[in-house]
């Protein structure tokens, strides 16, 4: 399962809450994120978030870290663990493909060329609506790219959700309201997987 959304919209908080709630029911859940879920990913994360780069260079770096990330996740999935990742391919499609102007089809072509075959069961996009996203003093270059870039990201998620079947979640409410909404939608997809064990 993948959680996506614009920077500053509360996504990481919701990932933490969802994983904690899922584990409390007895499920085996692995929590991870992109870029940075592996040693290589952490090195690439520093480059992507802080070094100025061309859109294609960003897309190539993101694809490289995803190859390594998927290789680490596949044994966990094969062993029966649920995986929740904070960002995956949808981020590349939106950020590099649309917001940075590279083109969605070119990013998909890179993904296909890499040989990655792992597809998420479901992608949830936390949509903060038109509310202002929080400012952060330690903002990276994407978070500090300005209102126009941020709007392109939000519009990109909404646009591509229709094309790829991502599930939009209204994230304009309180943390608890968003968490309950997300859990309810996940239950519709996961069925017994999100229900606490009996006995």
């Amino acid at each position: 399962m993948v959680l996506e959304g614009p920077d500053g919209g509360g996504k990481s908080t919701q990932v933490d809450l969802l994983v904690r709630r899922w584990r409390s029911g007895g499920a085996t859940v692995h929590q991870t994120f992109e870029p940075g879920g592996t040693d290589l990913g952490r090195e690439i994360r520093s480059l992507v978030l802080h070094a100025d780069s061309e859109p294609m260079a960003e897309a190539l770096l993101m694809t490289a870290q995803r190859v390594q990330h998927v290789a680490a996740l596949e044994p966990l999935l094969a062993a029966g663990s649920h995986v929740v990742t904070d960002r995956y391919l949808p981020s590349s499609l939106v950020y590099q493909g649309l917001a940075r102007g590279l083109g969605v089809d070119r990013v998909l072509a890179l993904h296909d060329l890499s040989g990655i075959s792992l597809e998420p069961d479901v992608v949830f996009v936390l949509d903060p609506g038109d509310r202002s996203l929080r400012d952060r003093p330690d903002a990276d270059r994407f978070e500090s790219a300005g209102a126009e870039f941020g709007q392109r990201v939000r519009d990109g998620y909404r646009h591509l959700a229709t094309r790829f079947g991502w599930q939009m979640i209204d994230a304009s409410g309180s943390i608890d309201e968003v968490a309950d909404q997300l859990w309810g939608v996940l239950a519709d997809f996961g069925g017994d997987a999100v229900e606490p064990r009996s006995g």
Side-chain angles (χ1 to χ4, degrees):
M1 177 177 58
V2 177
L3 265 71
E4 288 280 352
D7 292 297
K11 172 178 48 59
S12 297
T13 297
Q14 293 301 327
V15 169
D16 290 342
L17 292 173
L18 186 148
V19 168
R20 207 175 308 150
R21 189 170 185 176
W22 208 348
R23 286 172 176 165
S24 71
T28 300
V29 184
H30 178 76
Q31 181 177 351
T32 186
F33 64 100
E34 286 195 359
T38 63
D39 290 342
L40 177 63
R42 282 187 285 276
E43 296 295 326
I44 290 177
R45 179 183 182 86
S46 179
L47 291 172
V48 170
L49 296 186
H50 302 292
D52 190 28
S53 58
E54 292 297 313
M56 179 56 78
E58 288 176 8
L60 288 166
L61 286 168
M62 290 298 293
T63 301
Q65 65 83 33
R66 189 163 297 123
V67 170
Q68 193 77 8
H69 194 206
V70 167
L73 295 179
E74 285 177 334
L76 298 171
L77 291 165
S81 177
H82 299 287
V83 171
V84 179
T85 181
D86 181 340
R87 299 200 182 282
Y88 190 60
L89 174 62
S91 285
S92 294
L93 300 179
V94 171
Y95 280 81
Q96 284 77 49
L98 291 181
R100 293 276 278 150
L102 188 59
V104 170
D105 290 339
R106 293 180 75 188
V107 175
L108 283 172
L110 285 176
H111 182 77
D112 292 341
L113 184 63
S114 73
I116 297 173
S117 60
L118 183 61
E119 297 289 338
D121 293 326
V122 61
V123 174
F124 294 114
V125 177
L126 300 187
D127 184 1
D130 295 326
R131 69 175 174 83
S132 297
L133 300 180
R134 62 181 183 272
D135 294 324
R136 293 176 49 182
D138 60 341
D140 59 50
R141 70 186 186 90
F142 289 103
E143 295 168 334
S144 59
E148 183 180 348
F149 181 84
Q151 190 61 52
R152 290 202 301 270
V153 168
R154 292 191 286 276
D155 291 344
Y157 274 114
R158 294 166 183 164
H159 173 69
L160 293 185
T162 301
R163 175 175 173 179
F164 293 104
W166 304 337
Q167 302 299 308
M168 299 297 294
I169 300 293
D170 180 3
S172 61
S174 69
I175 290 175
D176 288 342
E177 288 170 343
V178 176
D180 286 343
Q181 181 190 175
L182 180 59
W183 185 254
V185 178
L186 176 60
D188 290 339
F189 277 87
D192 294 339
V194 300
E195 296 299 327
R197 292 178 183 170
S198 59

